[in-house]
């Protein structure tokens, strides 16, 4: 499951936006290990949105998942990589108060050794992307 660096908690009270770093494969192909995220704290979330939340059983651990649907007990969240696990299929619906914010952008840092002009241009064109809502999340939920 993607664990996020705790830097996303710093400055949360001051600004509604923060940064986080993805650790792990559960959101592949949308997010890769090492991607950086721009998170809007307190944003309204809905099905298909990628969110940062506290793990229900280990609340000092921040995770990133996609909201599949609203249930009576909270949000049902899934990873985009069905083989990685670590989502609501393991721990059930996530209470509303554990959902911290909505992921707005992801950016991939420049890797060591990427210094040629061609590589720099290619990186610049693909490094920053908005993280869009995937409205097909509920279909994936029904397929599981």
């Amino acid at each position: 499951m993607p664990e996020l660096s705790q830097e996303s908690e710093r400055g949360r009270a001051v600004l509604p936006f923060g940064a986080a770093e993805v650790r792990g494969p559960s959101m592949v192909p949308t997010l890769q290990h090492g991607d950086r995220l721009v998170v809007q704290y307190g944003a309204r979330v809905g099905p298909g949105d990628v969110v940062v939340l506290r793990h229900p059983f280990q609340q000092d651990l921040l995770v990133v998942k996609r909201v599949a649907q609203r249930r009576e007990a909270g949000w049902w969240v899934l990873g985009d990589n069905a083989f990685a696990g670590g989502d609501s299929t393991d721990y059930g619906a996530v209470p509303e108060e554990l959902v911290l914010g909505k992921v707005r952008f992801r950016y991939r840092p420049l890797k060591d050794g990427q210094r040629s002009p061609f590589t720099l241009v290619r990186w610049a064109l693909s490094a920053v992307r908005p993280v869009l809502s995937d409205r097909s999340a509920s279909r994936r939920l029904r397929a599981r």
Side-chain angles (χ1 to χ4, degrees), residues 9-28:
E9 286 293 291
R10 274 189 238 132
R12 183 172 161 214
V14 178
L15 296 173
F17 289 93
E21 181 178 345
V22 176
R23 305 260 186 223
S26 79
M27 287 299 291
V28 170

Side-chain angles (χ1 to χ4, degrees), residues 3 9 12 35 38 63 108 110 133 138:
E3 175 185 335
E9 286 293 291
R12 183 172 161 214
D35 282 355
V38 175
V63 294
R108 296 199 170 126
L110 189 62
S133 296
S138 60

Side-chain angles (χ1 to χ4, degrees), residues 21-74:
E21 181 178 345
V22 176
R23 305 260 186 223
S26 79
M27 287 299 291
V28 170
T30 305
L31 302 172
Q32 305 287 328
H33 177 81
D35 282 355
R36 304 306 200 284
L37 305 176
V38 175
V39 180
Q40 182 182 8
Y41 292 107
R44 181 187 289 180
V45 300
D49 291 337
V50 176
V51 296
V52 172
L53 56 109
R54 292 190 181 282
H55 192 284
F57 301 140
Q58 188 180 351
Q59 293 187 10
D60 60 331
L61 178 66
L62 300 179
V63 294
V64 60
K65 298 292 176 197
R66 188 176 300 277
V67 173
Q69 65 180 204
R70 185 80 172 100
R71 293 203 173 170
E72 218 173 278

Side-chain angles (χ1 to χ4, degrees), residues 24-134:
S26 79
M27 287 299 291
V28 170
T30 305
L31 302 172
Q32 305 287 328
H33 177 81
D35 282 355
R36 304 306 200 284
L37 305 176
V38 175
V39 180
Q40 182 182 8
Y41 292 107
R44 181 187 289 180
V45 300
D49 291 337
V50 176
V51 296
V52 172
L53 56 109
R54 292 190 181 282
H55 192 284
F57 301 140
Q58 188 180 351
Q59 293 187 10
D60 60 331
L61 178 66
L62 300 179
V63 294
V64 60
K65 298 292 176 197
R66 188 176 300 277
V67 173
Q69 65 180 204
R70 185 80 172 100
R71 293 203 173 170
E72 218 173 278
W75 291 107
W76 192 263
V77 295
L78 298 172
D80 285 357
N81 180 354
F83 300 107
D87 54 23
S88 286
T89 57
D90 295 329
Y91 46 73
V94 176
E96 183 85 37
E97 62 270 11
L98 295 182
V99 178
L100 302 177
K102 184 176 180 177
V103 176
R104 294 297 186 174
F105 292 94
R106 73 101 176 122
Y107 58 98
R108 296 199 170 126
L110 189 62
K111 294 178 183 170
D112 292 338
Q114 288 185 324
R115 300 288 182 245
S116 74
F118 175 73
T119 304
L120 289 173
V121 168
R122 212 171 86 193
W123 172 82
L125 293 174
S126 68
V128 178
R129 299 273 182 189
V131 177
L132 302 174
S133 296
D134 180 4

